[in-house]
């Protein structure tokens, strides 16, 4: 899993020659992790985990996809699940059914937001799947 720690500040005393020591809030801050994106029985599936100690207002897991070969076309959201509470979760984005006869490139993204601004995100592995590949 890929890991991102939220920057939640430092409480340190800066004296001549002293070293800055992170506060416990930084060491125990909010974390997002991303798992593997897989294709199973016609569906793209993705998961991640969250520890939100209050650094973020919203954390979302999204299945992103585009047609393959893409020739420069952008990825778009296919399914999305968000959590707004503090706490710890291992959770999944809603599964996305790949349309019949198509080939797609897909991945899962987890993003953390504060005040409507994305503060951090992580992307999973990309897969090329579907009945039309």
């Amino acid at each position: 899993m890929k890991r991102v720690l939220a920057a939640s500040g430092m409480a340190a005393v800066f004296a001549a020659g002293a070293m800055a020591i992170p506060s416990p809030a930084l060491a125990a801050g909010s974390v997002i992790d991303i798992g593997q994106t897989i294709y199973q029985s016609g569906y793209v599936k993705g998961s991640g985990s969250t520890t939100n100690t209050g650094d973020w207002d919203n954390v979302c897991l999204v299945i992103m996809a585009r047609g393959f070969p893409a020739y420069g076309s952008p990825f778009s959201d296919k399914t999305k699940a968000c959590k707004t509470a503090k706490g710890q979760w291992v959770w999944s984005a809603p599964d996305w059914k790949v349309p019949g006869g198509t080939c797609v490139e897909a991945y899962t993204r987890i993003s953390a937001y504060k005040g409507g601004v994305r503060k951090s995100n992580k992307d999973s592995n990309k897969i090329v799947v579907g009945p039309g590949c």
Side-chain angles (χ1 to χ4, degrees):
M1 287 194 148
K2 299 176 185 177
R3 241 182 140 153
V4 175
L5 295 177
S8 49
M10 292 183 69
V13 175
F14 293 92
M19 179 188 260
I21 299 174
S23 70
L26 180 62
S30 297
V31 179
I32 56 175
D33 288 325
I34 191 72
Q36 295 291 310
T37 297
I38 64 168
Y39 180 73
Q40 183 179 45
S41 302
Y43 289 85
V44 174
K45 302 176 178 216
S47 62
S49 65
T50 304
T51 299
N52 185 2
T53 60
D55 296 307
W56 303 312
D57 300 327
N58 199 20
V59 178
C60 296
L61 264 172
V62 182
I63 301 288
M64 306 286 291
R66 65 182 178 184
F68 186 86
Y71 304 114
S73 65
F75 284 91
S76 62
D77 296 7
K78 299 301 178 183
T79 66
K80 181 187 238 181
C82 298
K83 295 193 178 285
T84 57
K86 292 180 186 176
Q88 289 185 301
W89 308 277
V90 174
W91 52 308
S92 298
D95 297 345
W96 177 62
K97 175 95 171 126
V98 176
T102 63
C103 184
V104 299
E105 183 177 18
Y107 68 95
T108 307
R109 169 175 283 172
I110 190 168
S111 300
Y113 300 86
K114 182 74 169 187
V117 176
R118 186 169 58 199
K119 295 298 184 178
S120 62
N121 67 275
K122 281 293 180 184
D123 296 343
S124 73
N125 59 302
K126 288 183 178 157
I127 57 175
V128 175
V129 296
C133 292

